[in-house]
Amino acid sequence: MGTQQPVRNGRGRSGMFRTKTVEQSIRDTEEPEHVLKKSLSALDLTVFGVGVVIGTGIFVLTGKVAKESAGPSVALAFVLAGVVCGLAALCYAEFASTVPVAGSAYTFSYASLGELPAWIIGWDLILELALGCAVVAVGWSGYIRSLLDTAGWHLPQALSGPHGGHFGFDILACVLVLALTVILVAGMKLSSRVTSVIVGVKVTVVLIVIVVGAFLVSGANYDPFIPPSQSSKASGGLAAPLVQLMFGFTPSHFGVMGIFSAAAVVFFAFIGFDIVATAAEETHNPQRDVPRGILGSLAICTVLYVAVSVVVTGMQKYSELSVDAPLADAFKDRGHPFWAGLISFGAAVGLTSVCMILLLGQSRVFFAMSRDGLLPRVFSTVHPRFGTPYRSTILLGAVVAVVAGFTSIDVLAELVNIGTLFAFVVVALGVVLLRRSRPDLPRAFRTPFVPAVPLLSVLASLWLMLNLPAETWLRFAVWMALGVVVYFAYGRRHSRVSAEGK
């Protein structure tokens, strides 16, 4: 038996590690009841990428990390985090141009690592995107309540979400998710148009921060650019970073090592560019446009993040920055309340597109898993008029709306982070494996310097994962264990690839 053929036909591996060939993945997209409508361009994808990445990160994390970890050198932390995402983006771009199928890292893993690894990454993505959408909806609700309070309108405590141990249902977060679910069901083009308007508003606000803030910069605020190193107060127990428990290494504040610690935090601000890959199947020319959308959106966001962080730390001394609304408060501190209000409005508007695109990505991953039989096939039927996976979108929208209604933000964001980094590791490994098993595949975009770039991506992602609390790893392990149970109870027995291989 030859070395290539077993992987080509998907039957060279047995059971849990049976692969689904690229050819079969593409054929599945042509089945009439599962055809997604192709309506997106490279510009649409870039807008989606910018729309999901520019959110709370640029409006909140900039000040928090500058004040607590890096000082003005937070700009370098954004560059480092951008480099980590850039390495992953190069791997995503190759896969998305080679396997232009909905599902992102799940689909890529199925083609290179096998069914069980694909299930695990798909299960991971469902958690990551669901919690991310819920957290963003809750954050959006907080901004809207603040604006309503300013206007003299106050929501009852019972409809404002859980606070201080008191029960409450966040009606605004719930309604937002349900409204966005309707828009997503109505079609990708409508979704992209709504997103384009929202992204236009918040990018304009970000540019205003950069341009207006540049005239308010004081050079004295940059001294020192890299503040002297300070030892961090060590966290105890499972709240400590895993790297501390493993090696006794305590991350430091400020100094050169503070920049690396800050990079692990501001990585939150970049989460979402990989969502572009989930829309590959709905793109006119995915081989060309998906790599452009992924790399273009990441480049734009990195430049904007660095520029904003340079401006805000120049406007106000890093030690005096607010951790709740640093951009708006910096303008207030310099006597410009109008610009501060405009920034708060831009933050609220911006979170809307983040929530929509996270929900979009989640529904496409669920759709792809359903089409493969690993989840009930009823959820892989597309709407006869709109060409969208309406059943999976409605189901997930309803679940996320309920979660958002009863959830406080707290620790959920860290679960989103570890899930994203885990997906980065799997995709990078998949690029190397598929290069070796299927060197014959046409690749419109090729990751440079393989295997060096994928290996660097794996190491960088693992390092950031090690800087997350041990309790986050524990919660992640519990979710993954539950996923394995579901796979053996349902997915393995209903897998289309397994059935076709018998």
Side-chain angles (χ1 to χ4, degrees), residues 52-58 61 78 265-272 301 305:
V52 72
V53 174
I54 296 184
T56 51
I58 200 166
L61 283 180
F78 274 114
V265 178
V266 300
F267 175 80
F268 283 105
F270 287 93
I271 285 176
C301 293
Y305 279 177

Side-chain angles (χ1 to χ4, degrees), residues 45-383:
L45 294 176
T46 303
V47 169
F48 272 135
V50 173
V52 72
V53 174
I54 296 184
T56 51
I58 200 166
F59 294 109
V60 177
L61 283 180
T62 306
K64 177 179 174 63
V65 174
K67 184 173 185 175
E68 299 176 356
S69 300
S73 62
V74 65
L76 300 180
F78 274 114
V79 171
L80 282 175
V83 168
V84 173
C85 290
L87 293 170
L90 291 171
C91 299
Y92 269 89
E94 173 168 327
F95 254 131
S97 67
T98 308
V99 194
V101 177
S104 186
Y106 158 75
T107 300
F108 307 157
S109 301
Y110 216 154
S112 56
L113 300 174
E115 185 171 280
L116 179 59
W119 165 269
I120 290 174
I121 197 65
W123 187 252
D124 162 59
L125 288 173
I126 289 173
L127 173 74
E128 169 201 335
L129 299 175
L131 293 184
C133 184
V135 168
V136 171
V138 172
W140 176 88
S141 173
Y143 274 107
I144 297 301
R145 287 199 305 273
S146 176
L147 291 173
L148 291 176
D149 289 342
T150 302
W153 299 343
H154 306 286
L155 277 179
Q157 180 67 42
L159 296 178
S160 300
H163 293 286
H166 297 291
F167 174 81
F169 183 77
D170 195 331
I171 187 67
L172 292 177
C174 179
V175 169
L176 172 68
V177 174
L178 294 177
L180 295 179
T181 299
V182 172
I183 293 174
L184 288 173
V185 168
M188 280 293 285
K189 199 61 186 177
L190 175 61
S191 303
S192 68
R193 286 170 180 165
V194 172
T195 303
S196 297
V197 173
I198 295 171
V199 171
V201 171
K202 67 180 175 182
V203 169
T204 300
V205 170
V206 170
L207 293 175
I208 288 173
V209 171
I210 296 171
V211 175
V212 177
F215 290 97
L216 304 173
V217 165
S218 171
N221 291 329
Y222 293 127
D223 186 23
F225 186 74
I226 303 179
S229 178
Q230 301 175 13
S231 295
S232 300
K233 182 180 179 181
S235 301
L238 293 177
L242 188 63
V243 68
Q244 178 180 319
L245 297 179
M246 292 175 63
F247 307 112
F249 170 76
T250 304
S252 63
H253 290 317
F254 307 113
V256 174
M257 289 306 297
I259 299 174
F260 288 96
S261 297
V265 178
V266 300
F267 175 80
F268 283 105
F270 287 93
I271 285 176
F273 77 86
D274 53 320
I275 296 293
V276 174
T278 68
E281 198 173 322
E282 295 160 274
T283 304
H284 289 303
N285 189 344
Q287 288 80 5
R288 180 196 68 190
D289 293 344
V290 174
R292 290 181 180 180
I294 292 173
L295 298 172
S297 58
L298 183 60
I300 291 170
C301 293
T302 301
V303 170
L304 291 177
Y305 279 177
V306 171
V308 166
S309 59
V310 168
V311 167
V312 75
T313 53
M315 288 176 60
Q316 191 174 19
K317 191 70 175 178
Y318 72 90
S319 57
E320 300 171 0
L321 285 169
S322 160
V323 297
D324 295 321
L327 272 61
D329 290 346
F331 277 93
K332 286 181 183 178
D333 181 70
R334 298 303 298 269
H336 294 277
F338 170 78
W339 297 119
L342 185 63
I343 290 167
S344 296
F345 171 75
V349 172
L351 293 182
T352 307
S353 66
V354 177
C355 193
M356 174 187 286
I357 299 167
L358 288 173
L359 193 58
L360 161 74
Q362 183 193 28
S363 66
R364 270 45 178 186
V365 173
F366 199 93
F367 166 79
M369 296 176 73
S370 172
R371 186 167 57 189
D372 289 333
L374 300 182
L375 289 170
R377 293 264 291 169
V378 66
F379 295 110
S380 62
T381 302
V382 300
H383 195 281

Side-chain angles (χ1 to χ4, degrees), residues 28-36 382:
D28 286 349
T29 68
E30 298 167 354
E31 296 175 349
E33 69 272 24
H34 304 305
V35 174
L36 294 174
V382 300

